[in-house]
């Protein structure tokens, strides 16, 4: 069409063609060989369907009363402007008529509009891919269709599939008139992806001094089919290929070969769908550091800077490591010069390493520093907190207006926001989650935190059939509760939220067999001024030996537990801000009636008044899927040593069952074996030690290695009194307590049946003759985790695990090397409204009394 326009204009300019314009009473001849000026008397538009005449005239600029020359470049530019809109297939402008005065001309603009697209469709494309393509193409119904649109869309589609490894993708654009809509067409992109192209082999010719394994690892997205790339994608990605070639050269630079270059890279098919890539490399000479000097530094001495740089004369000229220690980008625990300055406010600090002299294989480097002035924090802006109160976020961050800027404090603030649990951790830690806006004119800096709220409250309403009985559960957990807004009527939607408090209520029952009611409340910042947490909980549970399925109603055999706990945790400043000291006081009462299923005795009432002191340190980057950091906890729970304070013993019972008491010379002389369970265990005593530690290491990308160790010991004050009948450990299985909510600590060990690794002991107080006697345990876990979905609505990750542990009845039998081993795979799904769910398959290698082997485990909640 554009050729037609140019030919038309050329004919107008090249030939003298008399054009007749019919006027009343005479014929008027316009001689195009002799340009003449006319006054525009009017302009009419013909052929338009979608655009109004005013829209078209606005683009042309023609107005009644203006002077134009016919023919002229001015008219040509009008046609050009209409063409550039890309809405028209053909454009022409001509003199329609001339007024009798011969100084006024009336013009006509003739256009043919491009067809509009009523529907865009794809063939040969999966539904998920179609959605992504539509987002990339940004095509809309009613848009115009042209060769440019077809060419651009085809290019985008091809790039999309080439990124997925389909290098031979073909795209055909088919158009069809829409019979239902006038002047509309339907456009179909027929995609033939072809076979996915994968890399069979990569060779490195000329790489004699750098190990091939290091070269393979340096290329993050370009991988071949060797064993070390087993978990990596082998598809060829054109976009990432150029980046990987630069990374390949960096591997040589890191080894001291600063002049290394890729002479040639060749890719060819070795079989259908498989290519081989050959790199021809010139390593060049190996270089070493000689003299390193610093200029422009006044805040820190050259000695201090060299301690951070950690490069000495004679070291290999490793530019990559040098830049990491100058500008960062290495491991999180490593310090760098830029961070050293920025932690002291020097945000405008600038550093430029310059090669001053290269002599033989030695290089002199001068570090040129411009320190600038310290930057003060000005505005701290928080965006996106539609539900959570702003003060909840501000109290977590360490960046305060008026403070000097600190890179470490800023990074800690990001981590604190991510670990709150109210916001999407991936969003705040990713691109767009924050902004640093410096103002060098007044040496200030603004920081913007862009948070994304995520659902955090959970509602549990379920009923199910299991164990030949119906179980109903009603529970609610508000993880962003606000007591401050209790009397604000507008806040009840459905409950007051926004202060990051937790309020949870849960009721579960199946009628006669089991009933449980619990309530808890936690305030992370007591009084809202200091990071001191308050936690309170209240609970009651009753379990009987009734089975509706078998029509057994037995209220003579039951266990009841009720209690209360309150604790205060304080964040410490030393050794660092990640430490928390927690104190808790709790009271429990166990009431057993002919209950011969779990504990040391059948019948009696026991009271448990205990104090817990816990020291923990948590530095993980987020809660659900931590990639780095650690979690450690050391706790001691103890009761008063009642038996050490007693001076009266029981020598027996009279015919009415009353105790016959006597005064002993010492607590060591009291014989507890002749006492009834009601007297012996009325007030239980123990000291319980617990250690749990986990370390998260980011390996490659989002692949994370988690290593965890646990140890627990339930001790006694008096060997004559013995171990406590409660608060022991049950090891083995999925770690879920089921109906056994209180009385024992449940420890998972996958690959074995529930509680199967827990030793049993004999008891004269139990009618069955034995009971669970797990008083010491250890457990070791290694997990390899990889995320499948990381979204605010759901987090899903797969895992491989190796696990080992054991349980003993006495500390004297403890042997940390006598463990039961297992391995397996699993998956975890976190849904904000439900919590963490999971399923594991484990294989127990040490078949303990037939309880090992292949086992499936279902998990609800976080297991340790």
């Amino acid at each position: 069409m554009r050729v037609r326009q140019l030919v038309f204009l050329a004919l107008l300019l090249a030939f003298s063609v008399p054009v007749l314009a019919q006027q009343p009473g005479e014929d008027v001849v316009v001689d195009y060989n002799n340009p003449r000026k006319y006054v525009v008397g009017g302009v009419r538009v013909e052929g338009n369907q979608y655009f109004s005449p005013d829209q078209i005239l606005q683009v042309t600029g023609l107005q009644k009363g203006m002077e134009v020359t016919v023919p002229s470049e001015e008219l040509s530019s009008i046609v050009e402007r209409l063409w550039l809109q890309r809405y028209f297939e053909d454009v022409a402008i001509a003199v329609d008529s001339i007024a009798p005065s011969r100084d006024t001309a009336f013009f006509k603009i003739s256009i043919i509009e491009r067809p509009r697209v009523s529907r865009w469709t794809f063939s040969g494309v999966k539904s998920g891919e179609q959605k992504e393509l539509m987002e990339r193409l940004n095509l809309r119904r009613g848009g115009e269709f042209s060769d440019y649109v077809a060419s651009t869309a085809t290019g985008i589609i091809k790039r999309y599939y080439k990124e997925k490894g389909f290098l031979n993708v073909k795209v055909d654009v088919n158009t069809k008139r829409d019979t239902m809509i006038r002047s509309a067409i339907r456009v179909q992109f027929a995609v033939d992806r072809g076979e996915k192209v994968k890399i069979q082999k990569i060779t490195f010719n000329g790489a004699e001094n750098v190990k091939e394994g290091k070269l393979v690892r340096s290329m993050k997205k370009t991988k071949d089919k060797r064993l070390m790339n087993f978990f990596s994608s082998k598809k060829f990605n054109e976009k990432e290929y150029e980046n990987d070639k630069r990374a390949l050269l960096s591997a040589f630079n890191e080894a001291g070969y600063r002049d290394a270059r890729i002479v040639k890279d060749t890719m060819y098919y070795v079989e259908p769908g498989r290519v081989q890539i050959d790199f021809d490399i010139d390593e060049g000479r190996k270089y070493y550091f000689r003299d390193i000097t610093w200029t422009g530094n006044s805040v820190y001495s050259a000695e201090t800077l060299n301690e951070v740089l950690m490069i000495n004369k004679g070291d290999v000229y490793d530019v990559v490591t040098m830049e990491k220690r100058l500008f960062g980008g290495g491991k999180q625990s490593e310090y760098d010069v830029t961070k050293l300055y920025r932690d002291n406010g020097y945000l405008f600090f600038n550093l430029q390493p310059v090669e001053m002299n290269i002599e033989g294989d030695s290089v002199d480097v001068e570090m040129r520093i411009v320190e600038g002035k310290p930057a003060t924090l000005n505005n701290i802006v928080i965006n996106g907190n539609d539900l959570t109160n702003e003060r909840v976020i501000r109290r977590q961050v360490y960046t305060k207006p008026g403070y000097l800027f600190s890179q470490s404090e800023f990074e800690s603030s990001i981590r604190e926001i991510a670990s709150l649990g109210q916001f999407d951790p991936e969003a705040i830690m990713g691109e767009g989650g924050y902004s640093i806006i410096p103002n060098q004119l007044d040496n200030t800096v603004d920081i913007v935190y862009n948070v994304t709220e995520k659902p955090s409250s959970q509602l549990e309403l379920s009923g199910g059939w299991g164990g030949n009985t119906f179980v109903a559960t009603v529970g609610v957990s508000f993880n962003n509760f606000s007591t401050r807004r209790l009397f604000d009527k507008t806040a009840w939607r459905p409950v007051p939220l926004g202060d990051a408090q937790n309020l949870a209520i849960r009721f579960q029952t199946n009628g006669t067999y089991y009933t449980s009611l619990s309530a808890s409340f936690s305030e992370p910042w007591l009084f809202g001024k200091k990071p001191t947490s308050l936690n309170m909980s209240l609970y009651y549970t009753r379990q009987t030996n009734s089975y509706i399925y078998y029509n057994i109603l037995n209220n003579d055999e039951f266990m009841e537990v009720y209690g209360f706990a309150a604790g205060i945790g304080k964040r410490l400043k030393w050794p660092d801000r990640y430490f928390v000291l927690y104190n808790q006081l709790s009271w429990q009462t166990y009431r057993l009636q002919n209950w011969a299923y779990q504990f040391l005795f059948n019948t009696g009432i026991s009271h448990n008044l205990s104090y817990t002191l816990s020291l923990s340190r948590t530095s993980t980057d987020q809660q659900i899927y931590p990639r780095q950091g650690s979690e450690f906890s050391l706790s001691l729970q103890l009761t008063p040593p009642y038996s050490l304070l007693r001076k009266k013993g029981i020598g027996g019972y009279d015919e009415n069952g009353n105790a016959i008491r006597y005064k002993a010379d010492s607590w060591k002389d009291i014989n507890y074996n002749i006492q009834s369970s009601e007297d012996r265990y009325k007030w239980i005593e123990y000291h319980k030690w617990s250690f749990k530690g986990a370390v998260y290491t980011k390996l490659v990308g989002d692949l994370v290695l988690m290593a965890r160790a646990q140890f627990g010991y339930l001790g006694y004050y008096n060997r004559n009194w013995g171990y406590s009948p409660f608060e022991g450990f049950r090891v083995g299985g999925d770690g879920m307590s089921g109906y056994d909510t209180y009385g024992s600590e449940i420890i998972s060990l996958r690959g074995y049946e529930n509680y199967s690794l827990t030793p049993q002991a004999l008891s004269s107080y139990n009618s069955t003759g034995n009971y669970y006697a797990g008083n010491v345990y250890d457990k070791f876990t290694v997990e390899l985790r990889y995320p499948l979905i990381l979204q605010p609505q759901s987090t899903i990750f797969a895992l491989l695990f190796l696990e080992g542990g054991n349980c003993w009845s006495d500390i004297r039998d403890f042997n940390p090397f006598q463990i039961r081993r297992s391995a397996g795979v699993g998956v975890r799904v976190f849904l904000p409204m439900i919590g963490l769910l999971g399923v594991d398959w484990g294989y127990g290698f040490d078949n303990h009394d037939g309880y090992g082997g292949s086992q499936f485990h279902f998990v609800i909640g976080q297991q340790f």
Side-chain angles (χ1 to χ4, degrees):
M1 297 302 175
R2 186 172 180 84
V3 173
R4 178 181 171 184
Q5 173 208 5
L6 295 176
V7 171
F8 174 73
L9 292 175
L11 291 174
L12 289 178
L13 297 174
F15 299 99
S16 175
V17 181
V19 178
L20 302 179
Q22 185 68 38
Q23 297 292 331
E26 63 175 329
D27 293 334
V28 179
V29 177
V30 178
D31 187 357
Y32 286 96
N33 273 337
N34 298 308
R36 181 177 177 183
K37 288 185 177 182
Y38 292 96
V39 176
V40 178
V43 183
R44 68 184 183 91
V45 179
E46 66 177 15
N48 57 308
Q49 296 181 19
Y50 296 103
F51 293 97
S52 67
D54 291 339
Q55 289 177 306
I56 296 175
L57 292 177
Q58 187 175 6
V59 174
T60 64
L62 280 176
Q63 296 180 2
K64 185 177 180 180
M66 66 182 295
E67 285 190 353
V68 296
T69 303
V70 180
S72 66
E73 290 294 332
E74 185 179 5
L75 293 179
S76 299
S77 65
I78 290 174
V79 175
E80 183 73 16
R81 284 199 296 271
L82 290 172
W83 267 101
L84 291 175
Q85 303 304 310
R86 294 176 179 166
Y87 295 130
F88 311 107
E89 287 186 345
D90 195 10
V91 179
I93 184 171
V95 176
D96 192 24
S97 63
I98 297 178
S101 59
R102 297 180 178 272
D103 59 351
T104 301
F106 296 84
F107 293 85
K108 175 179 67 177
I109 299 177
S110 301
I111 62 171
I112 299 177
E113 294 181 347
R114 296 188 187 277
R116 297 303 177 101
V117 181
S118 61
R119 187 178 181 186
W120 304 90
T121 60
F122 297 87
S123 64
V125 175
K126 297 179 180 179
S127 57
E129 294 174 342
Q130 180 173 334
K131 183 178 179 181
E132 293 181 15
L133 284 172
M134 289 299 292
E135 291 177 354
R136 290 197 182 193
L137 294 170
N138 195 25
L139 298 174
R140 67 184 189 279
R141 296 182 63 179
E144 73 286 348
F145 181 76
S146 65
D147 293 339
Y148 173 80
V149 173
S151 175
T152 303
T154 300
I156 293 174
I157 295 172
K158 286 184 175 180
R159 285 195 299 272
Y160 172 79
Y161 280 103
K162 286 182 178 180
E163 290 175 7
K164 291 180 173 290
F166 298 95
L167 300 187
N168 301 316
V169 59
K170 297 179 181 178
V171 181
D172 292 327
V173 183
N174 302 320
T175 61
K176 182 180 180 181
R177 290 288 177 181
D178 193 326
T179 57
M180 303 296 294
I181 303 176
R182 182 184 173 209
S183 300
I185 61 172
R186 295 183 179 185
V187 179
Q188 181 190 65
F189 296 101
V191 179
D192 180 9
R193 300 187 304 177
E195 191 173 11
K196 180 178 284 190
V197 177
K198 295 186 177 181
I199 303 173
Q200 181 73 21
K201 186 178 180 180
I202 301 176
T203 64
F204 306 93
N205 303 318
E208 299 176 354
N209 298 296
V210 181
K211 292 182 178 180
E212 186 171 302
K214 183 175 182 179
L215 300 179
V216 172
R217 288 191 299 271
S218 68
M219 296 190 295
K220 304 302 181 184
K221 299 295 183 180
T222 307
K223 303 288 187 180
D224 60 10
K225 295 187 67 176
R226 66 187 73 199
L227 184 61
M228 65 184 299
N229 297 329
F230 182 79
F231 293 104
S232 301
S233 173
K234 315 303 184 302
K235 69 180 181 182
F236 180 79
N237 190 321
E238 283 186 348
K239 182 179 179 181
E240 298 293 341
Y241 182 60
E242 295 300 322
N243 296 331
D244 280 337
K245 286 199 293 185
R246 288 189 287 269
L248 178 62
L249 290 179
S250 294
F252 286 98
N253 298 154
E254 196 171 356
Y257 297 93
R258 66 181 292 275
D259 300 329
R261 63 191 183 94
I262 299 175
V263 178
K264 181 176 64 173
D265 59 304
T266 307
M267 183 176 67
Y268 52 92
Y269 283 91
V270 293
E271 58 181 87
R274 296 291 184 269
V275 297
Q276 178 170 324
I277 301 176
D278 297 331
F279 288 104
D280 293 340
I281 297 169
D282 178 13
E283 290 182 328
R285 190 174 190 174
K286 188 172 185 177
Y287 291 85
Y288 301 87
F289 283 101
R290 190 166 63 180
D291 295 328
I292 298 178
T293 57
W294 301 83
T295 62
N297 55 305
S298 61
V299 178
Y300 298 103
S301 64
E303 291 77 12
T304 301
L305 298 176
N306 281 326
E307 288 179 1
V308 177
L309 187 62
M310 294 187 294
I311 295 178
N312 300 314
K313 186 175 183 178
D315 288 351
V316 172
Y317 188 66
D318 180 357
V319 179
V320 176
T321 301
M322 179 185 70
E323 290 182 347
K324 288 180 179 178
R325 294 174 182 173
L326 290 176
F327 307 109
K331 296 181 180 179
Q332 186 187 24
S333 58
E334 293 180 346
Y335 218 53
D336 57 80
V337 174
T338 299
K339 194 171 185 179
L340 176 67
Y341 271 91
R342 287 194 166 193
D343 277 352
N344 286 276
Y346 290 90
L347 178 63
F348 308 112
F349 161 85
N350 188 26
L351 170 62
Q352 182 67 40
V354 179
E355 296 177 347
M356 298 299 295
N357 187 28
I358 302 176
E359 185 174 338
D361 62 353
S362 300
V363 181
D364 295 334
V365 180
E366 181 179 87
M367 307 294 182
R368 297 177 181 176
I369 294 177
V370 178
E371 293 178 332
K373 294 183 179 181
T376 303
L377 294 172
N378 186 22
N379 296 314
I380 308 299
V381 181
I382 298 173
N383 296 324
N385 55 314
D386 302 324
L387 180 63
T388 305
N389 291 326
E390 187 169 309
R391 64 186 183 88
V392 172
I393 307 172
R394 290 194 178 276
R395 69 191 185 191
Q396 294 294 131
V397 301
Y398 302 104
T399 51
K400 311 287 185 181
Y403 286 21
L404 284 179
F405 176 83
S406 170
Q407 184 70 27
S408 295
E409 299 286 356
F410 169 70
E411 293 173 357
S412 297
S413 300
I414 293 293
R415 186 166 51 249
E416 287 291 324
I417 296 175
S419 62
L420 263 176
Q422 317 301 331
F423 309 105
D424 179 18
E426 301 299 325
I428 186 65
M429 300 183 73
E431 293 184 8
Y434 55 83
S435 299
I436 299 177
I437 307 173
N439 186 354
Q440 200 163 359
L441 294 177
D442 58 2
N443 297 312
T444 62
V445 57
D446 296 338
I447 295 180
V448 180
Y449 297 104
N450 299 312
V451 299
T452 303
E453 296 268 9
K454 70 172 185 178
S456 57
S457 298
Q458 299 173 7
L459 173 64
E460 184 179 9
L461 182 62
S462 63
W465 182 266
N468 294 323
T469 184
F470 179 80
V471 181
T473 303
V474 178
V476 63
S477 176
F478 300 106
N479 296 322
N480 198 5
F481 193 71
S482 174
T483 56
R484 189 176 57 90
R485 304 179 65 194
L486 280 175
F487 302 102
D488 183 1
K489 294 182 180 180
T490 61
W492 288 85
R493 296 179 299 178
V495 295
L497 299 174
D499 284 346
Q501 299 168 343
N502 177 270
L503 176 65
I505 301 173
R506 190 173 189 266
F507 175 74
Q508 186 177 40
T509 185
N510 68 352
T512 57
Y513 176 67
Y514 178 79
T515 300
S516 174
L517 176 64
S518 63
S520 64
F521 174 78
S522 65
E523 163 60 76
W525 282 62
L526 190 60
F527 306 121
K529 295 182 178 180
K530 293 184 178 180
T532 300
S533 63
L534 171 66
N535 299 273
M536 295 184 294
S537 62
L538 182 69
Y539 48 87
Y540 167 80
T541 181
R542 175 183 173 88
Q543 188 174 348
T544 71
N545 195 26
S546 299
Y547 290 92
I548 299 177
Y549 184 80
Y550 298 107
N551 199 26
I552 299 176
L553 298 177
N554 189 348
N555 291 320
D556 295 330
E557 299 179 6
F558 65 86
M559 179 190 73
E560 288 183 337
V561 182
Y562 46 90
F564 173 78
I568 291 181
K570 182 179 181 181
R571 184 185 298 175
L572 304 179
K573 296 182 180 179
W574 186 89
D576 59 42
R577 61 168 63 100
Y578 300 121
F579 279 89
V580 174
L581 183 65
Y582 187 75
N583 300 268
Q584 177 177 284
L585 187 64
S586 64
W587 161 73
Q588 282 179 313
T589 293
Y590 297 90
R591 185 181 176 209
L592 277 62
Q593 179 69 40
N594 299 321
W595 194 255
Y597 303 100
Q598 306 168 11
F599 303 113
L600 189 149
F601 62 90
N602 291 353
T603 302
I605 298 177
S606 292
H607 302 287
N608 179 10
L609 179 63
S610 66
Y611 168 74
T612 302
L613 178 65
S614 174
L615 180 66
S616 63
R617 184 184 187 275
T618 302
S619 62
T620 54
D621 56 350
Q622 56 172 286
Q623 293 179 343
I624 305 303
Y625 189 79
R627 295 178 177 85
Q628 56 190 12
S630 60
E631 299 170 336
F632 292 98
S633 174
L634 178 64
S635 67
L636 169 62
Q637 182 180 1
L638 68 164
T639 65
Y642 303 109
S643 66
L644 303 183
L645 304 176
R646 292 194 183 107
K647 293 295 181 69
K648 291 184 179 181
I650 297 177
Y653 297 89
D654 60 21
E655 56 186 11
N656 297 322
N658 298 319
I660 302 174
R661 302 182 183 275
Y662 68 93
K663 186 175 182 180
D665 295 333
S666 170
W667 56 269
K668 299 179 181 179
D669 299 328
I670 299 177
N671 184 4
Y672 290 96
N673 291 329
I674 63 175
Q675 295 184 11
S676 66
S677 60
E678 292 90 336
D679 290 324
R680 183 173 184 174
Y681 299 115
K682 183 176 181 180
W683 290 93
I684 62 175
E685 62 179 40
Y686 59 87
H687 53 90
K688 184 177 181 179
W689 303 79
S690 178
F691 170 79
K692 296 177 181 179
V695 177
Y696 302 89
T697 304
K698 185 177 181 179
L699 299 179
V700 179
D702 288 327
L703 183 65
V704 174
L705 178 69
M706 186 277 291
R708 177 182 288 134
Q710 297 174 236
F711 171 80
Y713 168 55
L714 181 70
Y716 51 76
Y717 298 111
N718 184 350
R719 181 172 292 275
N720 292 336
W721 190 85
Y723 285 104
S724 168
F726 305 104
E727 300 300 328
F729 308 101
R730 299 189 199 177
V731 179
D734 51 31
M736 297 179 64
S737 60
Y739 293 127
D740 304 328
T741 309
Y742 303 102
S744 298
E745 184 175 344
I746 311 301
I747 308 299
S748 69
L749 207 157
R750 294 163 287 189
Y752 298 90
E753 291 189 9
N754 288 353
Y755 315 154
S756 61
L757 301 182
T758 308
Q760 296 190 16
L762 299 177
S763 172
S764 60
Y765 297 122
N766 192 308
S767 59
T768 62
N770 53 43
Y771 68 100
Y772 286 121
N775 297 313
V776 187
Y777 88 96
D778 65 4
K779 178 185 171 184
F780 307 95
T781 304
V782 176
E783 283 186 0
L784 195 63
R785 301 177 170 185
Y786 189 79
L788 305 178
I789 297 177
L790 293 174
Q791 298 292 337
Q793 297 80 12
S794 63
T795 298
I796 303 176
F797 62 90
L799 58 89
L800 302 173
F801 68 85
L802 297 174
E803 205 157 61
N806 209 345
C807 188
W808 298 266
S809 60
D810 195 281
I811 188 65
R812 293 171 294 185
D813 301 326
F814 173 67
N815 184 351
F817 302 104
Q818 186 184 19
I819 62 175
R820 308 294 181 181
R821 301 160 300 166
S822 66
V825 298
V827 64
R828 295 292 182 272
V829 179
F830 178 80
L831 302 174
M833 289 295 292
I834 300 175
L836 189 65
L837 306 174
V839 59
D840 294 323
W841 172 83
Y843 187 88
F845 298 108
D846 303 298
N847 201 339
H848 181 67
D849 296 333
Y851 293 117
S854 177
Q855 300 284 339
F856 279 95
H857 305 286
F858 295 93
V859 179
I860 299 177
Q862 186 71 42
Q863 305 296 316
F864 298 98

